[in-house]
Amino acid sequence: SMLEDPSQGSREAREAWWSTLYNAHRRARTTDALLRKLGKWLEAHDDEAAAWRTLAAAQQGSGIDPIDSWSRARALAPRDAETQTALIEALEAKGRHEDAVSTARAMMEGPGFDPTTAIELAGTLAAAGERELAFELAGEVRERYGRNARAMTGLLDFYNLNDDADTALEIAQALVKLAPRKPEARIALGEQLFQMRQRDEAIEQWSMLPKLARPAHKGWARFAEVLT
């Protein structure tokens, strides 16, 4: 097939071909055959990230430890978000909490990392009883991605879910500083204040919505919505 010759097709085309091949074997329940053939193929052609991703996915689906394969894929395509997330999740699934966190830290130092991956890891760690490690990681995400609204929104949820309302309030206030004219930031801060029984302060934030939304009637509608 065209996949057997690494020079055939563009990178994007080959990624699609590998995905199609894996899905075909999965549907046919012949993943074991794919594992054997792909493992042998990679002995001669070990520099194709999509092939390592396919092997990792097949291993994972067959109950085989995929960590080494995900690591090889990541080394070849360090910017690939799917591979980054999959490697961290595989480490965490094996109970290798410290390794998962150190891998996330290394990824944060490099290009193309999605900070929500680290926030999700922190949430998983907290649920697994690794609260200290979870909060340490969340703090590092906050320090590095404090100007990333998506990351800060994820941290707001993390701290609320883990009963740290004071830090959640700091995050909500930081979101407003990042985007003072964004209605969603004011709503989030108002909700945080309201949860902390600071009703007047919450209403003060929400009362700004008519000034922030255009046309104004949409702002009044949002104001009425949050009050109900």
Side-chain angles (χ1 to χ4, degrees):
S1 74
M2 288 183 290
L3 277 171
E4 291 178 358
D5 182 353
S7 67
Q8 290 290 317
S10 66
R11 181 176 60 82
E12 292 78 9
R14 292 184 65 80
E15 286 178 354
W17 295 342
W18 283 117
S19 179
T20 299
L21 180 67
Y22 169 64
N23 287 328
H25 277 280
R26 184 171 53 81
R27 284 193 296 269
R29 299 185 177 181
T30 55
T31 307
D32 287 348
L34 174 63
L35 286 168
R36 288 193 301 273
K37 291 171 69 175
L38 183 52
K40 190 170 183 180
W41 187 87
L42 280 165
E43 289 176 6
H45 313 284
D46 64 354
D47 60 351
E48 187 167 353
W52 285 106
R53 282 197 293 272
T54 302
L55 179 62
Q59 289 171 329
Q60 200 159 302
S62 300
I64 300 170
D65 187 344
I67 290 171
D68 287 344
S69 297
W70 284 126
S71 297
R72 293 292 294 268
R74 183 200 161 217
L76 291 165
R79 290 177 178 268
D80 185 75
E82 178 188 343
T83 303
Q84 291 175 341
T85 300
L87 175 56
I88 289 172
E89 288 178 349
L91 289 164
E92 180 57 28
K94 290 291 183 182
R96 293 170 58 178
H97 305 310
E98 294 283 356
D99 288 339
V101 170
S102 64
T103 299
R105 284 172 174 151
M107 289 178 182
M108 284 194 281
E109 297 286 345
F113 183 67
D114 182 354
T116 58
T117 299
I119 297 167
E120 288 169 4
L121 173 59
T124 303
L125 289 167
E130 296 283 347
R131 188 176 174 87
E132 184 177 345
L133 188 58
F135 273 70
E136 192 176 307
L137 179 60
E140 291 170 20
V141 173
R142 180 184 178 185
E143 184 176 342
R144 180 172 289 273
Y145 298 99
R147 299 195 63 78
N148 182 314
R150 185 161 171 257
M152 294 295 275
T153 300
L155 286 172
L156 178 62
D157 290 338
F158 168 82
Y159 285 112
N160 273 319
L161 287 169
N162 290 284
D163 303 318
D164 188 348
D166 290 338
T167 304
L169 178 58
E170 292 176 7
I171 299 291
Q173 290 167 334
L175 276 167
V176 168
K177 286 183 180 177
L178 275 176
R181 297 199 59 80
K182 191 171 182 180
E184 288 76 11
R186 295 284 174 180
I187 291 171
L189 177 54
E191 287 176 347
Q192 188 63 42
L193 290 162
F194 194 84
Q195 287 176 23
M196 297 174 72
R197 302 181 187 278
Q198 298 181 40
R199 187 175 183 276
D200 291 343
E201 290 86 347
I203 292 174
E204 181 182 351
Q205 292 298 323
W206 292 334
S207 67
M208 299 183 70
L209 293 175
K211 301 175 186 175
L212 300 177
R214 292 288 180 271
H217 70 83
K218 288 189 175 180
W220 285 109
R222 294 298 295 275
F223 183 38
E225 182 183 333
V226 297
L227 290 178
T228 57

